[in-house]
């Protein structure tokens, strides 16, 4: 549902936060999502050094995939929160002392790492967590085989996404929810997408509630880990 929603502009979209050991295809997952929805010669990004460079990356990409992260500095987490729900920054215009350039963005954020890179509760609250496991050696394929198979199937995959989206947009006006979790627009569109995929409203609502529970548990674990490090330091 999250990936199909990335084809809907203007609404806030949950960030996908993938974690898993080496060899769990985290990078390849993000390559496929990027190539399918927002093709670019740069498929995976590294976090920049300052907020202006990060804002420029966010302005230049619709799908913004950050690869192989270990942790996020607070200012990065804050910027990514704004990128999910919509925001921007004012930067000094080049070769000017007092003119500003406004960089605005509402983007689809992807984060992966061995551990869950998003640790702050506000970013976790805007995320969908995906846990991956290492691929068995007998299931591994060469990059040439993977790329060839994906390029061959890409038109059919994209057609499937668009068919689901078309059905979801027809169902959307009929979707009524008793209450909304964070990212209310995605709640409603996500329900319509789930129904277009043959699921029920209740299944999506329950799955979303489980997502929120997992986020809360991850936030509590992150806070406990910070307290342990602080005690050790003291």
């Amino acid at each position: 549902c999250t990936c199909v929603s990335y084809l809907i502009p203007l609404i806030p979209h949950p960030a996908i936060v993938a974690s898993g050991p080496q060899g769990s295809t985290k990078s390849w997952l993000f390559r496929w999502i990027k190539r399918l929805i927002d093709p670019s010669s740069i498929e995976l990004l590294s976090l920049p050094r300052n907020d202006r460079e990060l804002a420029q990356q966010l302005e230049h990409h619709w799908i913004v995939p950050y690869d192989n992260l270990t942790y996020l500095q607070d200012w990065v987490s804050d910027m990514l929160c704004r990128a999910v729900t919509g925001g921007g920054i004012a930067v000094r215009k080049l070769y000017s002392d007092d003119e500003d350039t406004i960089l605005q963005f509402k983007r689809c954020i992807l984060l992966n790492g061995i551990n869950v890179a998003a640790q702050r509760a506000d970013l976790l609250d805007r995320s969908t967590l995906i846990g991956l496991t290492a691929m068995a050696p007998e299931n591994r394929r060469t990059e040439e085989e993977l790329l060839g198979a994906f390029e061959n199937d890409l038109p059919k995959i994209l057609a499937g996404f668009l068919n689901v989206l078309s059905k979801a947009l027809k169902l959307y006006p009929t979707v009524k929810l008793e209450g909304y979790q964070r990212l209310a627009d995605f709640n409603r569109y996500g329900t319509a997408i789930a129904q277009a995929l043959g699921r029920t409203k209740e299944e999506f609502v329950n799955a979303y509630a489980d997502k929120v529970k997992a986020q809360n548990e991850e936030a509590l674990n992150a806070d406990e880990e910070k307290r342990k490090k602080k005690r050790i330091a003291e």
Side-chain angles (χ1 to χ4, degrees):
C1 290
T2 299
C3 287
V4 174
S5 81
Y6 287 172
L7 294 166
I8 303 171
L10 303 180
I11 69 168
H13 303 85
I16 293 178
V17 180
S19 61
Q22 294 176 342
S24 55
T25 71
K26 301 182 295 295
S27 299
W28 279 105
L29 171 64
F30 284 7
R31 287 178 187 272
W32 297 153
I33 296 172
K34 178 73 172 176
R35 191 168 295 197
L36 181 66
I37 299 173
D38 183 31
S40 170
S41 58
I42 301 175
E43 293 185 330
L44 298 173
L45 300 171
S46 298
L47 283 172
R49 296 167 295 178
N50 57 59
D51 58 353
R52 175 170 181 154
E53 291 179 0
L54 179 53
Q56 287 177 325
Q57 285 185 340
L58 294 170
E59 190 181 52
H60 295 163
H61 297 265
W62 174 245
I63 303 288
V64 194
Y66 291 107
D67 187 44
N68 196 28
L69 304 173
T70 53
Y71 72 99
L72 299 177
Q73 297 183 54
D74 287 348
W75 69 267
V76 174
S77 186
D78 289 340
M79 283 278 285
L80 295 181
C81 284
R82 280 185 277 164
V84 168
T85 52
I89 65 169
V91 297
R92 185 174 63 82
K93 191 174 183 179
L94 197 61
Y95 308 121
S96 171
D97 291 328
D98 58 3
E99 290 186 67
D100 284 342
T101 296
I102 306 299
L103 302 179
Q104 294 183 309
F105 37 77
K106 183 184 286 185
R107 297 293 184 260
C108 307
I109 307 299
L110 312 180
L111 310 171
N112 79 50
I114 292 176
N115 299 310
V116 176
Q119 294 294 306
R120 288 182 49 171
D122 50 359
L123 182 54
L124 285 167
D125 202 30
R126 295 166 168 85
S127 301
T128 296
L129 305 184
I130 299 177
L132 301 174
T133 57
M135 181 176 290
E138 60 270 19
N139 293 329
R140 295 188 179 278
R141 302 170 68 182
T142 66
E143 185 170 319
E144 181 181 7
E145 289 178 303
L146 284 172
L147 291 174
F150 182 79
E151 291 299 328
N152 183 65
D153 291 340
L154 191 151
K156 291 180 285 187
I157 297 170
L158 182 58
F161 268 55
L162 294 175
N163 284 337
V164 170
L165 178 62
S166 177
K167 292 177 183 178
L169 293 177
K170 291 178 182 178
L171 290 167
Y172 177 77
T174 69
V175 173
K176 306 297 180 185
L177 300 176
E178 295 179 2
Y180 292 96
Q181 301 280 2
R182 189 67 183 268
L183 305 181
D185 294 89
F186 172 74
N187 274 202
R188 191 174 174 194
Y189 273 108
T191 302
I193 293 168
Q195 290 177 325
L197 288 167
R199 301 292 186 175
T200 66
K201 179 176 74 173
E202 290 71 23
E203 285 179 306
F204 179 80
V205 170
N206 291 336
Y208 206 92
D210 290 341
K211 175 188 89 73
V212 172
K213 181 180 178 181
Q215 293 164 349
N216 292 338
E217 290 175 353
E218 187 63 39
L220 289 172
N221 291 338
D223 286 342
E224 180 61 28
E225 187 65 26
K226 288 178 182 178
R227 286 194 290 268
K228 286 182 181 178
K229 291 181 180 179
K230 184 177 180 181
R231 287 195 295 269
I232 292 171
E234 291 172 345

